[in-house]
Amino acid sequence: MRKKVEPNTARIIEGLRDTGYSFEAAIADLVDNSIEAGATVVNITIDLDFDKHPLVQVADNGSGMDLPALENAMRYGADQKPDQNRLGWFGLGLKTASTSFCRRLTVVTRAPEGATLAATWDLDDVVTANDWVLDIGPADPEEETLFAEHAESGIGVAPAGSGTVVVWRKVDRLLRKPSGKEYVDPDGALRRRIDSLEWHLRMVYQRFLDHEDERAVNVDIRIDGRSLKPWDPFAECFGLEPELEKKFGVTGRTGEPDVVHLRAFILPKPHETDDPKAFKEYVRSHTSDRQGFFFYRENRLIDTPGWIDKWGNETHLRGLRIELSFPATLDPFFGVGLRKTGLQPDKSFIEILDESISNLRREANKRDRQGSARKAAAESKSRPNPADRIIDEKRGGLEAPEVATSEQRGTKIENNQSDDLVVLDPGGAPNPNFTIEVLTDSDDVYVLLTDELEGAGMWEPALRLNSGRNDLMVRINSDHEWVRRAYSAHPQGSAERMALDFLLYALATAELNNTDEELRKEFGQFRVEVARNLARLAEELPEPSVDD
């Protein structure tokens, strides 16, 4: 006997909220829809209302939708479009991305010369009715006003033309910690969310934002009316050229051969360039978490950089970045899923990649080691730092976490917050929820002055794993204004310099002894605010003399 069994709508729609979207990935899915609709301007606004509740809106000047198209767009599992080379594919992104963070999703849209329409999924209504109840039809006065305001602003919907505004209300998951608790400072938490989103969009849509890049259509993506600049992880604007270029022929779902393009770059260290400060600010990070493959599907970056579980991140491969571009017709071959993350390329292709880049990995490793040796020799002049010796002698009596490494368990930290904080898994891959610089070539160094810190930070904790020892370190940003004018103004080995070394080492050690995956961002924000304030205050200090 065959019987039709209706699913429990309430449980399904609640379950679809937990598909694993990050906020950045969710917004990017909405931007994908805007680009597919032919938008040339996409404006994202994120605000808090008077009650400190978030309101998120994504407005574009694309083609808009008539009533049948709007109903299809709001359907879970929308009808497939004929174009095989699309940014979207599964017909779920608009709904699942949005309701991952909100319980009320509204889409207000207008096709050319058409009426303004609106549709709303309210999860509370769906759960109460236990049925797929969609509110759809002509826009009400409030929705008409919303659409008109975006049109009049000139930074989203085209004035008196077509466009779409996606609105998130009842946003219950944006400003909550992983534990489910709310942030004490919602304004500060929202700023951090917006900062993270900005960098994500600048990198993901680099080809669309760069009007000189002919590989993708030009789109002006804005946050609160401010246009985003493209960020190229390969820094080609500094004259960098590919170390390797290859093409691979692969048969996609159409049955026709498609082409995968590979370009590989080895980034120099900032001090090896003509303008170290500008290069460092542009590449943003020369650390281990931005190495490996950067996958571009239909000219849009998907997934996070990495080695697709083939290799773990390595300190001396931090400058190796490999661009792989493929069309959407190869989605099954690359294992592209709903969220466009967690790629699983065909195993035979991974082996081909291994053969193609093995020499390049060796070359990147060689250059990084040679560069580190030259810089260390120039800076230290063969004089050890007395602060390192004292820390080494006294470290056993300091309040500090335990760091353990084994082949079976990887590298873990035991501290006041956790007895099982993963740093590296058994394969050597870093924990994506707890990133920390891990060094293997800094024997007996506890205080490291370097120009390779990310962003505007002044110091950060790090780990050194070598010679059977696991030691805590502090990395100090040599380019920071306070470090340059105050810290480095005192010669290495002086009482003043050692006192500052001890202070920063103690701060880094205390952080590692009291952090976990949830608190990592809070400690990071603390370091950023201290660094910003000291940088401003240090402007009043005298410039160090040439002899300092």
Side-chain angles (χ1 to χ4, degrees):
M1 180 181 73
R2 301 179 68 185
K3 182 179 179 180
K4 182 179 179 181
V5 179
E6 295 288 345
N8 186 308
T9 303
R11 295 195 65 184
I12 287 178
I13 205 163
E14 291 285 8
L16 287 172
R17 301 194 74 196
D18 299 317
T19 49
Y21 270 98
S22 68
F23 174 60
E24 295 81 5
I27 293 295
D29 258 22
L30 304 187
V31 174
D32 285 348
N33 293 339
S34 296
I35 294 174
E36 281 193 0
T40 58
V41 178
V42 182
N43 187 46
I44 303 155
T45 57
I46 307 170
D47 298 301
L48 295 177
D49 63 20
F50 291 113
D51 295 320
K52 298 297 182 181
H53 296 145
L55 175 66
V56 179
Q57 302 180 62
V58 179
D60 68 55
N61 65 349
S63 58
M65 292 173 279
D66 57 18
L67 193 60
L70 177 59
E71 180 178 339
N72 183 55
M74 296 296 277
R75 179 182 295 115
Y76 278 78
D79 293 341
Q80 198 171 90
K81 297 179 181 179
D83 183 8
Q84 295 283 322
N85 297 96
R86 298 173 51 230
L87 290 172
W89 184 255
F90 296 96
L92 290 169
L94 167 65
K95 287 77 65 178
T96 54
S98 297
T99 58
S100 291
F101 293 90
C102 74
R103 297 191 64 82
R104 184 177 176 87
L105 164 66
T106 297
V107 176
V108 185
T109 187
R110 184 168 66 201
E113 300 180 5
T116 305
L117 307 170
T120 296
W121 280 118
D122 190 307
L123 269 59
D124 295 321
D125 291 345
V126 173
V127 170
T128 299
N130 198 22
D131 204 355
W132 300 100
V133 181
L134 176 69
D135 185 1
I136 186 170
D140 63 26
E142 181 181 347
E143 291 161 343
E144 285 273 13
T145 300
L146 173 73
F147 193 89
E149 287 175 349
H150 280 281
E152 291 169 3
S153 71
I155 54 173
V157 176
S162 60
T164 299
V165 183
V166 178
V167 185
W168 293 359
R169 293 190 176 90
K170 297 184 182 179
V171 183
D172 59 340
R173 292 184 172 182
L174 179 60
L175 297 183
R176 289 188 180 273
K177 300 178 181 180
S179 64
K181 296 180 180 179
E182 295 183 354
Y183 286 97
V184 176
D185 177 16
D187 293 282
L190 187 64
R191 285 195 301 271
R192 294 193 293 274
R193 284 286 202 177
I194 293 173
D195 288 345
S196 178
L197 174 65
E198 176 178 338
W199 274 107
H200 183 80
L201 297 178
R202 288 180 61 187
M203 182 169 63
V204 166
Y205 296 102
Q206 171 235 328
R207 298 181 183 180
F208 295 86
L209 293 170
D210 186 351
H211 291 190
E212 296 182 2
D213 195 323
E214 298 179 352
R215 291 172 292 184
V217 297
N218 293 335
V219 181
D220 182 6
I221 301 175
R222 305 173 181 179
I223 294 181
D224 294 326
R226 178 171 46 84
S227 295
L228 303 184
K229 297 179 181 179
W231 183 72
D232 174 14
F234 312 104
E236 290 186 82
C237 61
F238 282 83
L240 269 65
E241 296 184 356
E243 303 278 342
L244 175 68
E245 293 188 76
K246 295 193 72 170
K247 294 182 181 180
F248 306 93
V250 179
T251 300
R253 60 182 165 218
T254 63
E256 298 295 326
D258 285 309
V259 178
V260 178
H261 296 264
L262 179 150
R263 298 195 309 156
F265 297 78
I266 300 177
L267 272 62
K269 293 186 177 181
H271 70 274
E272 297 172 337
T273 65
D274 294 333
D275 192 342
K277 184 176 181 180
F279 184 79
K280 179 184 176 183
E281 289 177 351
Y282 186 84
V283 299
R284 180 168 168 82
S285 173
H286 200 269
T287 52
S288 299
D289 61 345
R290 285 198 177 95
Q291 62 179 260
F293 295 106
F294 289 68
F295 288 93
Y296 290 82
R297 173 187 179 271
E298 296 295 332
N299 291 308
R300 175 238 208 252
L301 180 68
I302 62 173
D303 214 349
T304 53
W307 295 111
I308 50 177
D309 296 331
K310 176 65 177 177
W311 309 276
N313 282 2
E314 298 179 26
T315 299
H316 294 295
L317 293 182
R318 54 193 160 189
L320 180 54
R321 298 178 177 181
I322 304 169
E323 173 190 278
L324 270 172
S325 304
F326 64 92
T329 49
L330 292 181
D331 282 356
F333 185 81
F334 281 95
V336 177
L338 172 63
R339 293 178 290 118
K340 306 182 181 78
T341 60
L343 298 188
Q344 295 292 331
D346 186 90
K347 291 183 178 179
S348 62
F349 186 65
I350 292 178
E351 295 305 316
I352 293 174
L353 289 177
D354 189 3
E355 295 176 6
S356 300
I357 68 169
S358 58
N359 290 336
L360 198 64
R361 283 171 58 87
R362 284 192 289 271
E363 177 62 23
N365 187 302
K366 175 183 174 182
R367 291 189 196 178
D368 190 88
R369 289 180 182 275
Q370 288 176 340
S372 295
R374 286 194 300 268
K375 186 170 185 290
E379 289 186 346
S380 69
K381 299 179 181 178
S382 301
R383 290 190 298 115
N385 184 357
D388 289 329
R389 176 181 56 78
I390 295 173
I391 293 172
D392 189 62
E393 292 174 354
K394 294 183 175 293
R395 65 191 183 95
L398 302 178
E399 295 184 24
E402 293 290 332
V403 183
T405 299
S406 68
E407 293 183 0
Q408 296 77 23
R409 302 181 70 232
T411 299
K412 298 188 177 183
I413 290 176
E414 180 179 344
N415 64 12
N416 293 332
Q417 296 293 330
S418 172
D419 58 3
D420 195 31
L421 179 57
V422 176
V423 177
L424 303 174
D425 68 17
N431 177 359
N433 298 318
F434 185 80
T435 55
I436 183 172
E437 187 73 5
V438 178
L439 305 178
T440 59
D441 60 347
S442 300
D443 291 329
D444 301 323
V445 174
Y446 295 88
V447 180
L448 181 64
L449 188 64
T450 176
D451 65 356
E452 296 175 5
L453 253 66
E454 178 178 355
M458 193 181 86
W459 86 93
E460 68 177 17
L463 294 179
R464 182 179 74 245
L465 310 178
N466 63 346
S467 304
R469 287 176 49 175
N470 303 322
D471 291 318
L472 311 181
M473 299 176 60
V474 60
R475 300 171 77 229
I476 303 172
N477 185 357
S478 61
D479 288 338
H480 187 274
E481 197 69 13
W482 179 87
V483 173
R484 194 173 64 82
R485 298 193 187 208
Y487 176 91
S488 296
H490 301 290
Q492 181 172 286
S494 67
E496 295 86 354
R497 177 75 166 261
M498 284 198 294
L500 295 173
D501 284 339
F502 296 154
L503 171 63
L504 293 172
Y505 180 80
L507 285 170
T509 301
E511 176 177 336
L512 285 183
N513 202 29
N514 293 280
T515 190
D516 57 22
E517 291 184 1
E518 183 175 313
L519 292 171
R520 177 183 62 86
K521 290 185 178 180
E522 306 298 330
F523 276 110
Q525 182 64 20
F526 168 78
R527 284 187 271 110
V528 167
E529 290 184 10
V530 171
R532 287 174 178 168
N533 289 338
L534 278 177
R536 295 188 184 102
L537 294 171
E539 292 174 356
E540 302 303 317
L541 296 176
E543 284 281 352
S545 67
V546 176
D547 295 331
D548 283 344

